[in-house]
Amino acid sequence: MVQQIAFGPRIRKSPFFKATQAAGASHFSIYNKMYFPVAYGDPAAEYDRLVNAVALWDVAVERQVRVKGPDALTLVRALTPRNLASVKTGQGRYVPICDHRGTLINDPVLLPISDDEYWLSIADNDLILWVRAVAFERGMKVEVSEPDVSPLAVQGPKAVEVIRDLFGDWATEMKHFAFTESELDGIPLILGRSGWSRQGGYELYLLESRRGTDLWNMVGEAGVPYGIGPGAPNYIERIESGLLSMGADTDHRTNPFEVGMDKLVDVDQETDFIGKQALRRIRDGGVRRLRCGFFVHGDPFQGPNQQWWKVIADGARIGFVSAAAYSPRIGRNIGLGLIDASQAEPGTKLIVETEHGRRSATVSELPFDIPKG
Amino acid sequence: MVQQIAFGPRIRKSPFFKATQAAGASHFSIYNKMYFPVAYGDPAAEYDRLVNAVALWDVAVERQVRVKGPDALTLVRALTPRNLASVKTGQGRYVPICDHRGTLINDPVLLPISDDEYWLSIADNDLILWVRAVAFERGMKVEVSEPDVSPLAVQGPKAVEVIRDLFGDWATEMKHFAFTESELDGIPLILGRSGWSRQGGYELYLLESRRGTDLWNMVGEAGVPYGIGPGAPNYIERIESGLLSMGADTDHRTNPFEVGMDKLVDVDQETDFIGKQALRRIRDGGVRRLRCGFFVHGDPFQGPNQQWWKVIADGARIGFVSAAAYSPRIGRNIGLGLIDASQAEPGTKLIVETEHGRRSATVSELPFDIPKG
């Protein structure tokens, strides 16, 4: 039975909604209370475009929490374990956000817009409630709001050529996570070198909702020589690349050390950020679980896992696989999971309880090695 | 083109998911990051069951924020403008939650489980982040968590007979919003007299996820003599009844006075709840917008509005219609909206810009009068 997404006014539509409809969006999810087109009816072509050419993604669901005012930097520094002493305007950073127990609650990219304005480009939850509560409780002089900003991602090895043709050579020299204000044919935007893949690419943060279709079409036309087509964050590629999906890969007690964010947590800095004591205890006590990759043996999977899979060692449950798929480039089933640290050494043999029965599995490093094709 | 819901592990499945699949769920939304079955392929039958017989709804998406510990009541009283001086175990209450600016951020039902444990049965946002931030910032002795609790609603004029047959006569004497721990055939649950309709009914808060299908089937069988069938919160009935849908009917600056919650806001109580100063200013200054109903003239609407509609008076925009549909019982198009208080008097003639062109409209009281059929 085909089960439809219900369209209505309760869930917001992206500025690119009409364009994605015209492009043949076939499957939707909802993310940050917005419709999120996640497939266009041809999974093989969508994967191929991303890893060999260039893809256009409506990621307007990546909402911004804007913190603006004299205390903006003080608040942002209190929110993340990452040391922001050397933060500078125009250079984004990936910043884990933890609660007072050291549990991860979001993993945004921080965009320092100016000395008194910072954006957090967030994963799927209402981080704005957290930020606003902390700001108000501490009596900080900041305004916390959601601006009219909607990212459009251009991802894949040929993204750089599309962006060069649109913006000029300067855009090819941008560093990872650098961003700058720009425009295309009068459409105001921020151009950032970022995106949720490891294939390289950019995000165009549209600053004027009503120009969504215009921007989609301009980028689409510029990409024709490079084989551009519609797509979405790709389930297979993100597993190959070991990208973290907050909420999908994490549970109610995941801390940043468990998911390989050690370098993003500075418990020795002077700033008294939220979760500092808890994270220091965790660091000193040693981490109990670790994120790792898996090769899952047996027949190729025909689609994504439908739920978390139990991971078993010596008859006991030692964690879960959160995402699994068959990788065409590797030629094997691969997965991501969080398991007892004692079993997370690459090469360790384990059992995974899948929807397709019990399978043997082997721990892999992350990201997975991609054979040169 | 049929556009499908994407099923995967990122969004949670309800304990009733399998049962709703078996019952023919045709359309899904996502609410509180869970799949939410909103239609079963026969809108007329679903409406009819709710208003004339009894319907079974998977509302597991109505998640609970549990506040437990010595400071639990102090925290809950700080969170809501409603005066909870006389709160008592076993009697639920509808409690608006506002931020420090007096803006509505959620409108849960509060369930006082015991003297040191309270549940907030929430609308669609991560209120848990707000509650946790306030608790931690204030150093309160509470644990804030999401328990394994999933409501199943039995709604409609014959719900009371189904519940009597299942639980006994005592259940028919429960007051509105009263609740009590109980069980059915060993399935632990809380039975509450509540639900998101004005047709009467109950919610069974399932306390053990793995018994979801068992509970659905037991209630379904008990309901056979009364014409029970699957359904979901009904778009038409909730407009007729004037029920508020947080997020769908409210914007980033809606306060409780605007949406008719005056009796739930006590700015004169001693408790220094969040938003008290702002709400006192709003009360003293007078409210600028008001929620009201609309009759929208012209041809019957064939389905729900796809976006908010502008409301126009004397050529100027004065607010929005958030939800509109054709009511079979009233025989007219009806809607809900938020407009300038000066134009909100029943009988006022206005213009509404719909997807079907400009329509004239007349302000109505809420809830709408239902002719006796």
Side-chain angles (χ1 to χ4, degrees):
Chain A
M1 184 173 54
V2 170
Q3 291 176 312
Q4 297 186 54
I5 180 89
F7 287 118
R10 191 180 67 81
I11 303 297
R12 291 179 291 175
K13 295 184 180 86
S14 149
F16 312 112
F17 184 77
K18 280 184 188 166
T20 61
Q21 294 280 312
S26 63
H27 289 71
F28 282 80
S29 189
I30 291 173
Y31 193 103
N32 278 325
K33 290 187 272 294
M34 287 181 82
Y35 292 108
F36 187 17
V38 296
Y40 289 80
D42 190 345
E46 290 160 38
Y47 174 80
D48 186 63
R49 277 199 286 271
L50 173 60
V51 300
N52 292 315
V54 54
L56 191 54
W57 300 352
D58 172 5
V59 287
V61 300
E62 205 181 289
R63 304 312 294 169
Q64 317 304 309
V65 175
R66 177 172 57 194
V67 180
K68 189 168 162 56
D71 289 337
L73 182 57
T74 306
L75 175 55
V76 169
R77 294 198 67 178
L79 290 174
T80 178
R82 187 155 186 190
N83 192 328
L84 297 180
S86 63
V87 71
K88 46 174 215 272
T89 296
Q91 180 58 50
R93 300 221 190 161
Y94 182 55
V95 292
I97 309 250
C98 294
D99 67 16
H100 300 68
R101 303 166 307 169
T103 299
L104 264 178
I105 54 172
N106 209 306
D107 66 334
V109 174
L110 172 71
L111 282 76
I113 301 295
S114 71
D115 285 351
D116 70 350
E117 180 171 351
Y118 296 82
W119 296 358
L120 296 161
S121 193
I122 62 169
D124 184 19
N125 72 18
D126 297 303
L127 188 70
I128 196 167
L129 292 175
W130 178 263
V131 177
R132 205 170 257 160
V134 172
F136 278 123
E137 289 293 318
R138 297 186 179 192
M140 285 178 158
K141 291 193 179 79
V142 289
E143 191 201 349
V144 180
S145 59
E146 188 191 297
D148 173 19
V149 173
S150 300
L152 178 68
V154 186
Q155 299 287 304
K158 295 183 182 166
V160 65
E161 301 178 65
V162 179
I163 295 298
R164 183 200 56 212
D165 291 358
L166 282 167
F167 290 90
D169 282 337
W170 62 267
T172 67
E173 285 150 31
M174 294 175 75
K175 287 187 197 162
H176 192 53
F177 281 144
F179 65 90
T180 186
E181 272 207 60
S182 188
E183 59 91 28
L184 274 182
D185 199 23
I187 306 171
L189 56 83
I190 284 173
L191 177 67
R193 193 153 198 172
S194 53
W196 206 62
S197 82
R198 291 207 192 215
Q199 306 311 307
Y202 294 79
E203 287 175 301
L204 286 67
Y205 294 72
L206 173 65
L207 304 180
E208 198 178 322
S209 277
R210 66 185 186 84
R211 303 299 303 274
T213 301
D214 295 340
L215 181 61
W216 175 282
N217 289 341
M218 273 194 78
V219 180
E221 281 157 32
V224 169
Y226 308 103
I228 206 169
N234 190 279
Y235 204 70
I236 301 169
E237 192 275 343
R238 84 103 172 167
I239 300 173
E240 294 169 347
S241 299
L243 296 178
L244 182 73
S245 175
M246 263 295 307
D249 295 339
T250 56
D251 61 13
H252 65 284
R253 61 189 181 97
T254 303
N255 68 59
F257 298 114
E258 292 177 335
V259 294
M261 292 181 177
D262 306 57
K263 288 183 182 161
L264 307 181
V265 177
D266 180 0
V267 293
D268 300 316
Q269 65 180 305
E270 269 183 39
T271 300
D272 190 25
F273 62 85
I274 294 172
K276 189 175 188 177
Q277 288 178 310
L279 288 167
R280 188 180 281 146
R281 275 197 304 273
I282 295 166
R283 183 198 63 177
D284 294 348
V287 69
R288 294 195 193 158
R289 302 189 298 179
L290 277 176
R291 178 173 163 82
C292 58
F294 298 87
F295 292 110
V296 185
H297 309 302
D299 294 340
F301 299 135
Q302 299 303 310
N305 55 310
Q306 282 301 304
Q307 65 221 23
W308 284 4
W309 294 341
K310 281 184 205 171
V311 179
I312 313 282
D314 301 326
R317 182 179 186 162
I318 60 152
F320 58 85
V321 167
S322 54
Y326 176 77
S327 163
R329 293 192 293 172
I330 300 173
R332 300 176 75 172
N333 294 320
I334 58 174
L336 299 173
L338 193 57
I339 61 171
D340 280 3
S342 64
Q343 305 284 333
E345 190 71 24
T348 307
K349 309 280 187 205
L350 300 165
I351 298 290
V352 177
E353 289 190 354
T354 79
E355 290 122 9
H356 326 289
R358 286 196 158 209
R359 294 279 186 99
S360 61
T362 306
V363 174
S364 162
E365 299 208 17
L366 287 178
F368 287 92
D369 274 331
I370 306 295
K372 282 174 184 151
Chain B
M1 185 171 56
V2 170
Q3 292 176 311
Q4 297 186 54
I5 181 89
F7 286 119
R10 190 179 67 79
I11 303 297
R12 290 179 292 175
K13 295 185 181 84
S14 150
F16 312 112
F17 184 78
K18 281 184 187 166
T20 62
Q21 294 281 312
S26 63
H27 289 71
F28 282 81
S29 189
I30 292 172
Y31 192 104
N32 279 325
K33 291 187 272 293
M34 289 182 81
Y35 292 107
F36 186 18
V38 296
Y40 289 80
D42 190 345
E46 290 159 41
Y47 173 82
D48 185 64
R49 276 199 286 269
L50 172 61
V51 301
N52 293 314
V54 55
L56 191 55
W57 300 352
D58 172 4
V59 287
V61 299
E62 203 181 290
R63 305 311 293 169
Q64 316 304 310
V65 175
R66 176 173 56 195
V67 179
K68 189 168 161 58
D71 290 335
L73 182 57
T74 305
L75 175 56
V76 169
R77 294 198 66 179
L79 291 173
T80 178
R82 187 157 185 187
N83 192 328
L84 297 178
S86 62
V87 71
K88 47 174 215 269
T89 296
Q91 181 59 48
R93 298 220 191 163
Y94 182 53
V95 291
I97 308 251
C98 294
D99 67 16
H100 300 67
R101 304 166 308 170
T103 299
L104 264 178
I105 57 172
N106 210 306
D107 65 334
V109 173
L110 172 72
L111 282 76
I113 301 293
S114 72
D115 286 349
D116 71 350
E117 181 172 351
Y118 295 82
W119 296 358
L120 295 161
S121 194
I122 62 170
D124 183 19
N125 72 18
D126 297 303
L127 188 70
I128 195 168
L129 292 175
W130 178 264
V131 177
R132 204 170 256 159
V134 172
F136 278 123
E137 289 292 319
R138 298 189 177 188
M140 285 179 157
K141 292 195 178 79
V142 289
E143 192 201 348
V144 180
S145 59
E146 187 191 298
D148 174 19
V149 174
S150 300
L152 178 67
V154 186
Q155 298 288 302
K158 295 183 181 167
V160 65
E161 300 177 67
V162 179
I163 295 298
R164 182 200 57 213
D165 290 359
L166 282 167
F167 290 90
D169 282 336
W170 62 268
T172 67
E173 285 150 32
M174 294 174 75
K175 287 188 198 162
H176 192 52
F177 281 144
F179 65 91
T180 186
E181 273 208 59
S182 188
E183 59 90 29
L184 275 182
D185 200 23
I187 305 170
L189 56 84
I190 284 173
L191 177 66
R193 193 153 199 173
S194 53
W196 207 63
S197 82
R198 292 208 191 213
Q199 306 311 308
Y202 295 78
E203 287 175 300
L204 286 66
Y205 293 73
L206 172 65
L207 303 180
E208 199 178 322
S209 277
R210 65 184 187 82
R211 304 298 303 275
T213 302
D214 296 341
L215 182 60
W216 175 283
N217 288 340
M218 274 194 79
V219 180
E221 281 157 33
V224 169
Y226 307 104
I228 204 168
N234 190 278
Y235 204 70
I236 302 169
E237 192 275 342
R238 84 103 172 167
I239 300 173
E240 292 169 348
S241 299
L243 296 178
L244 183 73
S245 175
M246 263 296 306
D249 295 339
T250 56
D251 60 14
H252 64 284
R253 61 188 181 98
T254 303
N255 68 61
F257 297 114
E258 292 177 335
V259 294
M261 291 181 176
D262 308 56
K263 288 184 183 162
L264 308 180
V265 176
D266 181 359
V267 293
D268 299 317
Q269 65 180 304
E270 269 183 40
T271 299
D272 190 25
F273 63 85
I274 294 171
K276 189 175 189 178
Q277 287 178 308
L279 288 168
R280 187 179 281 148
R281 275 196 304 273
I282 294 166
R283 183 198 62 177
D284 294 346
V287 69
R288 294 195 194 157
R289 301 190 297 179
L290 277 176
R291 179 173 163 82
C292 58
F294 298 87
F295 293 110
V296 186
H297 308 302
D299 293 341
F301 299 136
Q302 298 303 309
N305 55 310
Q306 282 299 305
Q307 66 223 21
W308 284 4
W309 295 340
K310 282 185 204 169
V311 179
I312 313 283
D314 300 326
R317 182 178 187 164
I318 60 153
F320 58 85
V321 167
S322 55
Y326 176 78
S327 163
R329 292 191 293 170
I330 300 174
R332 301 176 75 173
N333 293 320
I334 57 173
L336 299 173
L338 192 56
I339 61 172
D340 280 2
S342 64
Q343 305 284 334
E345 190 70 24
T348 306
K349 309 283 188 204
L350 300 165
I351 298 291
V352 176
E353 288 190 355
T354 78
E355 290 122 9
H356 325 289
R358 287 196 158 209
R359 295 278 186 99
S360 60
T362 306
V363 174
S364 161
E365 299 208 19
L366 288 177
F368 287 91
D369 274 331
I370 307 295
K372 281 176 183 149

